Amino acid sequence: MSKHLTCEKVDNCFANARTYRYQMPFALDEEKVVFLGQMGELFVKKNLRRPFFRIETDRGVQIKGIFGDKSMKVSFPEERWKEEQELWEQQLEQMLED
């Protein structure tokens, strides 16, 4: 994990959920969200008081966040969460370095 990113487990109502909050060194504006959207299918809801986005990858990873925030929540598939988390973090690091 980069020195610019922090990650913490998020508790929710699902006992075996593997959801983590990633703190970014920048606010998630439209350009960065579209950039992250390259990881999968991007869904955007802008007509709300706090516009949000969701990205679903073909490997079952879900990324959710609110435009303007510096964090996003990422949920990994239960059966292979550690493998998917490591792969996702590598992809994120590569994207942020470019």
Side-chain angles (χ1 to χ4, degrees), residues 25-67:
F26 48 76
L28 294 163
D29 60 17
E30 187 169 354
E31 180 181 346
K32 290 178 182 70
V33 169
V34 169
F35 186 70
L36 290 170
Q38 297 175 62
M39 292 182 167
E41 189 171 358
L42 174 61
F43 302 90
V44 174
K45 273 289 211 198
K46 287 189 172 185
N47 59 342
L48 302 172
R49 186 175 61 81
R50 294 193 56 175
F52 73 92
F53 67 91
R54 183 178 81 239
I55 301 165
E56 294 181 6
T57 73
D58 59 353
R59 297 182 59 93
V61 177
Q62 289 194 11
I63 303 133
K64 299 177 183 178
I66 296 174
F67 284 91

Short mmCIF file of all heavy atoms in Angstrom, two decimals, residues 25-67:
data_model
loop_
_atom_site.label_atom_id
_atom_site.label_comp_id
_atom_site.label_asym_id
_atom_site.label_seq_id
_atom_site.Cartn_x
_atom_site.Cartn_y
_atom_site.Cartn_z
N PRO A 25 -5.33 10.80 -1.21
CA PRO A 25 -4.66 12.07 -0.94
C PRO A 25 -5.30 13.25 -1.68
O PRO A 25 -4.76 14.34 -1.68
CB PRO A 25 -3.23 11.82 -1.43
CG PRO A 25 -3.39 10.83 -2.53
CD PRO A 25 -4.56 9.96 -2.12
N PHE A 26 -6.44 13.01 -2.32
CA PHE A 26 -7.11 14.03 -3.11
C PHE A 26 -8.63 13.79 -3.08
O PHE A 26 -9.08 12.70 -2.75
CB PHE A 26 -6.62 13.98 -4.57
CG PHE A 26 -6.63 12.60 -5.15
CD1 PHE A 26 -7.81 11.99 -5.56
CD2 PHE A 26 -5.45 11.88 -5.26
CE1 PHE A 26 -7.82 10.70 -6.06
CE2 PHE A 26 -5.44 10.59 -5.77
CZ PHE A 26 -6.63 10.00 -6.18
N ALA A 27 -9.38 14.83 -3.41
CA ALA A 27 -10.84 14.70 -3.49
C ALA A 27 -11.21 13.97 -4.78
O ALA A 27 -10.55 14.13 -5.82
CB ALA A 27 -11.49 16.08 -3.45
N LEU A 28 -12.25 13.19 -4.73
CA LEU A 28 -12.71 12.42 -5.88
C LEU A 28 -13.62 13.29 -6.75
O LEU A 28 -14.83 13.32 -6.59
CB LEU A 28 -13.44 11.17 -5.41
CG LEU A 28 -12.54 10.17 -4.69
CD1 LEU A 28 -13.36 9.18 -3.89
CD2 LEU A 28 -11.65 9.46 -5.69
N ASP A 29 -13.01 14.00 -7.70
CA ASP A 29 -13.78 14.82 -8.63
C ASP A 29 -14.18 13.96 -9.83
O ASP A 29 -13.83 12.78 -9.92
CB ASP A 29 -13.00 16.06 -9.04
CG ASP A 29 -11.68 15.75 -9.74
OD1 ASP A 29 -11.48 14.61 -10.21
OD2 ASP A 29 -10.85 16.66 -9.82
N GLU A 30 -14.89 14.56 -10.77
CA GLU A 30 -15.41 13.80 -11.91
C GLU A 30 -14.29 13.17 -12.74
O GLU A 30 -14.39 12.01 -13.16
CB GLU A 30 -16.28 14.70 -12.81
CG GLU A 30 -16.96 13.91 -13.90
CD GLU A 30 -18.01 14.72 -14.62
OE1 GLU A 30 -18.31 15.86 -14.21
OE2 GLU A 30 -18.56 14.20 -15.60
N GLU A 31 -13.22 13.90 -12.95
CA GLU A 31 -12.10 13.37 -13.74
C GLU A 31 -11.50 12.12 -13.10
O GLU A 31 -11.24 11.12 -13.77
CB GLU A 31 -11.02 14.45 -13.90
CG GLU A 31 -9.81 14.00 -14.69
CD GLU A 31 -8.75 15.09 -14.79
OE1 GLU A 31 -9.04 16.27 -14.49
OE2 GLU A 31 -7.62 14.73 -15.17
N LYS A 32 -11.30 12.15 -11.78
CA LYS A 32 -10.72 11.01 -11.09
C LYS A 32 -11.69 9.83 -11.05
O LYS A 32 -11.28 8.67 -11.17
CB LYS A 32 -10.27 11.42 -9.70
CG LYS A 32 -9.06 12.33 -9.75
CD LYS A 32 -8.65 12.79 -8.38
CE LYS A 32 -7.47 13.72 -8.45
NZ LYS A 32 -7.77 15.03 -9.00
N VAL A 33 -12.97 10.11 -10.89
CA VAL A 33 -13.97 9.03 -10.88
C VAL A 33 -14.03 8.35 -12.24
O VAL A 33 -14.06 7.12 -12.33
CB VAL A 33 -15.35 9.57 -10.45
CG1 VAL A 33 -16.43 8.53 -10.68
CG2 VAL A 33 -15.32 9.99 -8.98
N VAL A 34 -14.03 9.12 -13.31
CA VAL A 34 -14.03 8.54 -14.66
C VAL A 34 -12.75 7.71 -14.86
O VAL A 34 -12.80 6.61 -15.43
CB VAL A 34 -14.17 9.63 -15.74
CG1 VAL A 34 -13.90 9.09 -17.13
CG2 VAL A 34 -15.55 10.25 -15.67
N PHE A 35 -11.65 8.20 -14.35
CA PHE A 35 -10.38 7.48 -14.43
C PHE A 35 -10.48 6.14 -13.70
O PHE A 35 -10.12 5.09 -14.23
CB PHE A 35 -9.27 8.35 -13.85
CG PHE A 35 -7.90 7.79 -13.99
CD1 PHE A 35 -7.29 7.72 -15.23
CD2 PHE A 35 -7.20 7.35 -12.88
CE1 PHE A 35 -6.00 7.21 -15.37
CE2 PHE A 35 -5.92 6.84 -13.00
CZ PHE A 35 -5.32 6.77 -14.25
N LEU A 36 -11.01 6.16 -12.46
CA LEU A 36 -11.20 4.93 -11.70
C LEU A 36 -12.21 4.01 -12.38
O LEU A 36 -12.12 2.79 -12.27
CB LEU A 36 -11.67 5.25 -10.28
CG LEU A 36 -10.66 5.90 -9.35
CD1 LEU A 36 -11.34 6.39 -8.09
CD2 LEU A 36 -9.54 4.92 -9.02
N GLY A 37 -13.15 4.59 -13.08
CA GLY A 37 -14.18 3.83 -13.77
C GLY A 37 -13.63 2.88 -14.82
O GLY A 37 -14.31 1.95 -15.25
N GLN A 38 -12.39 3.07 -15.21
CA GLN A 38 -11.74 2.17 -16.16
C GLN A 38 -11.61 0.75 -15.60
O GLN A 38 -11.40 -0.20 -16.34
CB GLN A 38 -10.35 2.69 -16.54
CG GLN A 38 -10.37 4.02 -17.25
CD GLN A 38 -8.96 4.53 -17.47
OE1 GLN A 38 -8.17 3.89 -18.16
NE2 GLN A 38 -8.63 5.65 -16.86
N MET A 39 -11.74 0.61 -14.28
CA MET A 39 -11.61 -0.69 -13.65
C MET A 39 -12.84 -1.58 -13.87
O MET A 39 -12.79 -2.77 -13.59
CB MET A 39 -11.38 -0.53 -12.15
CG MET A 39 -10.07 0.07 -11.80
SD MET A 39 -9.91 0.16 -10.00
CE MET A 39 -8.18 0.52 -9.84
N GLY A 40 -13.93 -0.99 -14.29
CA GLY A 40 -15.16 -1.76 -14.45
C GLY A 40 -16.27 -0.92 -15.03
O GLY A 40 -16.03 0.04 -15.74
N GLU A 41 -17.50 -1.26 -14.67
CA GLU A 41 -18.67 -0.52 -15.14
C GLU A 41 -18.99 0.60 -14.15
O GLU A 41 -19.17 0.35 -12.96
CB GLU A 41 -19.86 -1.46 -15.29
CG GLU A 41 -21.03 -0.82 -15.98
CD GLU A 41 -22.13 -1.82 -16.31
OE1 GLU A 41 -21.98 -3.01 -16.05
OE2 GLU A 41 -23.16 -1.36 -16.83
N LEU A 42 -19.06 1.81 -14.65
CA LEU A 42 -19.26 3.00 -13.81
C LEU A 42 -20.73 3.43 -13.83
O LEU A 42 -21.32 3.57 -14.89
CB LEU A 42 -18.38 4.15 -14.31
CG LEU A 42 -18.54 5.51 -13.66
CD1 LEU A 42 -18.21 5.47 -12.18
CD2 LEU A 42 -17.68 6.55 -14.37
N PHE A 43 -21.29 3.61 -12.63
CA PHE A 43 -22.65 4.14 -12.46
C PHE A 43 -22.53 5.44 -11.69
O PHE A 43 -21.81 5.51 -10.70
CB PHE A 43 -23.52 3.17 -11.65
CG PHE A 43 -23.62 1.80 -12.25
CD1 PHE A 43 -22.71 0.81 -11.92
CD2 PHE A 43 -24.63 1.50 -13.16
CE1 PHE A 43 -22.79 -0.46 -12.47
CE2 PHE A 43 -24.72 0.24 -13.71
CZ PHE A 43 -23.80 -0.74 -13.38
N VAL A 44 -23.22 6.48 -12.14
CA VAL A 44 -23.14 7.79 -11.50
C VAL A 44 -24.55 8.32 -11.25
O VAL A 44 -25.43 8.21 -12.09
CB VAL A 44 -22.37 8.79 -12.40
CG1 VAL A 44 -22.39 10.19 -11.81
CG2 VAL A 44 -20.94 8.34 -12.61
N LYS A 45 -24.76 8.89 -10.06
CA LYS A 45 -26.01 9.57 -9.70
C LYS A 45 -25.65 10.99 -9.30
O LYS A 45 -25.20 11.24 -8.19
CB LYS A 45 -26.68 8.87 -8.53
CG LYS A 45 -27.58 7.75 -8.91
CD LYS A 45 -28.81 8.27 -9.57
CE LYS A 45 -29.96 7.36 -9.27
NZ LYS A 45 -31.06 7.52 -10.15
N LYS A 46 -25.83 11.93 -10.23
CA LYS A 46 -25.45 13.32 -9.96
C LYS A 46 -26.60 14.18 -9.47
O LYS A 46 -26.36 15.28 -8.99
CB LYS A 46 -24.87 13.94 -11.24
CG LYS A 46 -23.51 13.46 -11.58
CD LYS A 46 -22.96 14.28 -12.71
CE LYS A 46 -21.51 13.95 -12.95
NZ LYS A 46 -20.93 14.82 -13.95
N ASN A 47 -27.82 13.71 -9.62
CA ASN A 47 -28.98 14.56 -9.30
C ASN A 47 -29.37 14.49 -7.83
O ASN A 47 -30.51 14.79 -7.48
CB ASN A 47 -30.16 14.19 -10.19
CG ASN A 47 -30.58 12.74 -10.02
OD1 ASN A 47 -29.82 11.94 -9.51
ND2 ASN A 47 -31.77 12.42 -10.46
N LEU A 48 -28.44 14.15 -6.97
CA LEU A 48 -28.70 14.09 -5.53
C LEU A 48 -27.93 15.19 -4.82
O LEU A 48 -27.00 15.77 -5.37
CB LEU A 48 -28.27 12.73 -4.98
CG LEU A 48 -28.96 11.52 -5.62
CD1 LEU A 48 -28.31 10.24 -5.13
CD2 LEU A 48 -30.44 11.52 -5.32
N ARG A 49 -28.31 15.46 -3.58
CA ARG A 49 -27.62 16.48 -2.79
C ARG A 49 -26.13 16.14 -2.65
O ARG A 49 -25.27 17.01 -2.71
CB ARG A 49 -28.26 16.59 -1.41
CG ARG A 49 -27.71 17.70 -0.56
CD ARG A 49 -28.46 17.86 0.76
NE ARG A 49 -28.38 16.67 1.59
CZ ARG A 49 -27.35 16.36 2.38
NH1 ARG A 49 -26.30 17.14 2.42
NH2 ARG A 49 -27.36 15.27 3.10
N ARG A 50 -25.84 14.86 -2.50
CA ARG A 50 -24.44 14.38 -2.45
C ARG A 50 -24.26 13.36 -3.56
O ARG A 50 -24.47 12.17 -3.36
CB ARG A 50 -24.14 13.76 -1.09
CG ARG A 50 -24.21 14.80 0.03
CD ARG A 50 -23.64 14.31 1.29
NE ARG A 50 -22.27 13.87 1.08
CZ ARG A 50 -21.47 13.47 2.03
NH1 ARG A 50 -21.88 13.45 3.26
NH2 ARG A 50 -20.25 13.07 1.77
N PRO A 51 -23.91 13.82 -4.76
CA PRO A 51 -23.77 12.92 -5.91
C PRO A 51 -22.77 11.79 -5.62
O PRO A 51 -21.73 12.03 -5.00
CB PRO A 51 -23.23 13.82 -7.02
CG PRO A 51 -23.53 15.21 -6.59
CD PRO A 51 -23.55 15.20 -5.09
N PHE A 52 -23.13 10.59 -6.03
CA PHE A 52 -22.26 9.46 -5.76
C PHE A 52 -21.98 8.63 -7.01
O PHE A 52 -22.62 8.82 -8.04
CB PHE A 52 -22.84 8.57 -4.65
CG PHE A 52 -24.03 7.76 -5.07
CD1 PHE A 52 -23.86 6.46 -5.57
CD2 PHE A 52 -25.31 8.25 -4.97
CE1 PHE A 52 -24.95 5.70 -5.96
CE2 PHE A 52 -26.40 7.51 -5.35
CZ PHE A 52 -26.22 6.22 -5.86
N PHE A 53 -21.03 7.73 -6.86
CA PHE A 53 -20.68 6.83 -7.96
C PHE A 53 -20.51 5.42 -7.42
O PHE A 53 -20.29 5.21 -6.22
CB PHE A 53 -19.39 7.28 -8.66
CG PHE A 53 -18.16 7.17 -7.80
CD1 PHE A 53 -17.40 6.01 -7.81
CD2 PHE A 53 -17.77 8.22 -6.98
CE1 PHE A 53 -16.27 5.90 -7.01
CE2 PHE A 53 -16.64 8.11 -6.18
CZ PHE A 53 -15.90 6.95 -6.20
N ARG A 54 -20.63 4.47 -8.31
CA ARG A 54 -20.39 3.06 -7.99
C ARG A 54 -19.71 2.43 -9.20
O ARG A 54 -20.08 2.71 -10.34
CB ARG A 54 -21.71 2.34 -7.70
CG ARG A 54 -21.52 0.90 -7.28
CD ARG A 54 -22.85 0.24 -6.96
NE ARG A 54 -23.49 -0.19 -8.20
CZ ARG A 54 -24.68 0.20 -8.62
NH1 ARG A 54 -25.39 1.07 -7.92
NH2 ARG A 54 -25.18 -0.24 -9.75
N ILE A 55 -18.70 1.63 -8.94
CA ILE A 55 -17.99 0.91 -10.00
C ILE A 55 -18.09 -0.57 -9.65
O ILE A 55 -17.80 -0.97 -8.52
CB ILE A 55 -16.51 1.34 -10.08
CG1 ILE A 55 -16.41 2.84 -10.35
CG2 ILE A 55 -15.78 0.53 -11.15
CD1 ILE A 55 -15.04 3.43 -10.10
N GLU A 56 -18.50 -1.37 -10.63
CA GLU A 56 -18.55 -2.82 -10.45
C GLU A 56 -17.59 -3.46 -11.44
O GLU A 56 -17.71 -3.23 -12.64
CB GLU A 56 -19.97 -3.34 -10.67
CG GLU A 56 -20.94 -2.84 -9.64
CD GLU A 56 -22.35 -3.37 -9.84
OE1 GLU A 56 -22.55 -4.22 -10.74
OE2 GLU A 56 -23.24 -2.92 -9.11
N THR A 57 -16.64 -4.25 -10.92
CA THR A 57 -15.68 -4.90 -11.80
C THR A 57 -16.20 -6.28 -12.20
O THR A 57 -17.08 -6.83 -11.54
CB THR A 57 -14.31 -5.06 -11.13
OG1 THR A 57 -14.39 -6.09 -10.13
CG2 THR A 57 -13.83 -3.76 -10.50
N ASP A 58 -15.61 -6.82 -13.23
CA ASP A 58 -16.01 -8.16 -13.68
C ASP A 58 -15.54 -9.25 -12.72
O ASP A 58 -15.93 -10.40 -12.85
CB ASP A 58 -15.51 -8.43 -15.10
CG ASP A 58 -14.00 -8.34 -15.23
OD1 ASP A 58 -13.33 -7.95 -14.27
OD2 ASP A 58 -13.50 -8.68 -16.31
N ARG A 59 -14.75 -8.89 -11.73
CA ARG A 59 -14.26 -9.86 -10.73
C ARG A 59 -15.05 -9.77 -9.44
O ARG A 59 -14.69 -10.39 -8.43
CB ARG A 59 -12.78 -9.64 -10.49
CG ARG A 59 -11.94 -9.89 -11.76
CD ARG A 59 -10.46 -9.72 -11.52
NE ARG A 59 -9.95 -10.60 -10.50
CZ ARG A 59 -9.40 -11.79 -10.72
NH1 ARG A 59 -9.31 -12.24 -11.96
NH2 ARG A 59 -8.94 -12.53 -9.73
N GLY A 60 -16.13 -8.97 -9.43
CA GLY A 60 -17.00 -8.92 -8.26
C GLY A 60 -16.64 -7.87 -7.22
O GLY A 60 -17.22 -7.84 -6.14
N VAL A 61 -15.71 -6.99 -7.53
CA VAL A 61 -15.34 -5.91 -6.61
C VAL A 61 -16.28 -4.73 -6.84
O VAL A 61 -16.57 -4.38 -7.98
CB VAL A 61 -13.87 -5.49 -6.83
CG1 VAL A 61 -13.50 -4.31 -5.93
CG2 VAL A 61 -12.93 -6.66 -6.59
N GLN A 62 -16.78 -4.12 -5.75
CA GLN A 62 -17.63 -2.94 -5.85
C GLN A 62 -16.95 -1.77 -5.15
O GLN A 62 -16.51 -1.89 -4.01
CB GLN A 62 -18.99 -3.19 -5.20
CG GLN A 62 -19.84 -4.13 -5.99
CD GLN A 62 -21.29 -4.10 -5.52
OE1 GLN A 62 -21.69 -3.23 -4.73
NE2 GLN A 62 -22.07 -5.04 -5.99
N ILE A 63 -16.88 -0.65 -5.86
CA ILE A 63 -16.27 0.57 -5.35
C ILE A 63 -17.36 1.63 -5.28
O ILE A 63 -18.07 1.84 -6.26
CB ILE A 63 -15.13 1.04 -6.30
CG1 ILE A 63 -14.09 -0.08 -6.45
CG2 ILE A 63 -14.50 2.32 -5.80
CD1 ILE A 63 -13.68 -0.35 -7.84
N LYS A 64 -17.50 2.27 -4.12
CA LYS A 64 -18.54 3.29 -3.95
C LYS A 64 -17.94 4.53 -3.31
O LYS A 64 -17.07 4.44 -2.45
CB LYS A 64 -19.66 2.76 -3.04
CG LYS A 64 -20.36 1.55 -3.58
CD LYS A 64 -21.39 1.04 -2.60
CE LYS A 64 -22.04 -0.24 -3.12
NZ LYS A 64 -22.99 -0.77 -2.17
N GLY A 65 -18.43 5.68 -3.75
CA GLY A 65 -17.95 6.91 -3.17
C GLY A 65 -18.85 8.09 -3.49
O GLY A 65 -19.80 7.97 -4.27
N ILE A 66 -18.53 9.21 -2.89
CA ILE A 66 -19.29 10.45 -3.08
C ILE A 66 -18.35 11.47 -3.70
O ILE A 66 -17.20 11.63 -3.25
CB ILE A 66 -19.83 10.96 -1.73
CG1 ILE A 66 -20.82 9.94 -1.17
CG2 ILE A 66 -20.46 12.34 -1.87
CD1 ILE A 66 -21.31 10.24 0.22
N PHE A 67 -18.82 12.13 -4.74
CA PHE A 67 -18.01 13.16 -5.40
C PHE A 67 -17.61 14.21 -4.38
O PHE A 67 -18.42 14.68 -3.59
CB PHE A 67 -18.81 13.82 -6.53
CG PHE A 67 -18.92 12.98 -7.77
CD1 PHE A 67 -19.99 12.11 -7.94
CD2 PHE A 67 -17.96 13.05 -8.76
CE1 PHE A 67 -20.10 11.34 -9.08
CE2 PHE A 67 -18.05 12.27 -9.91
CZ PHE A 67 -19.13 11.41 -10.06
#
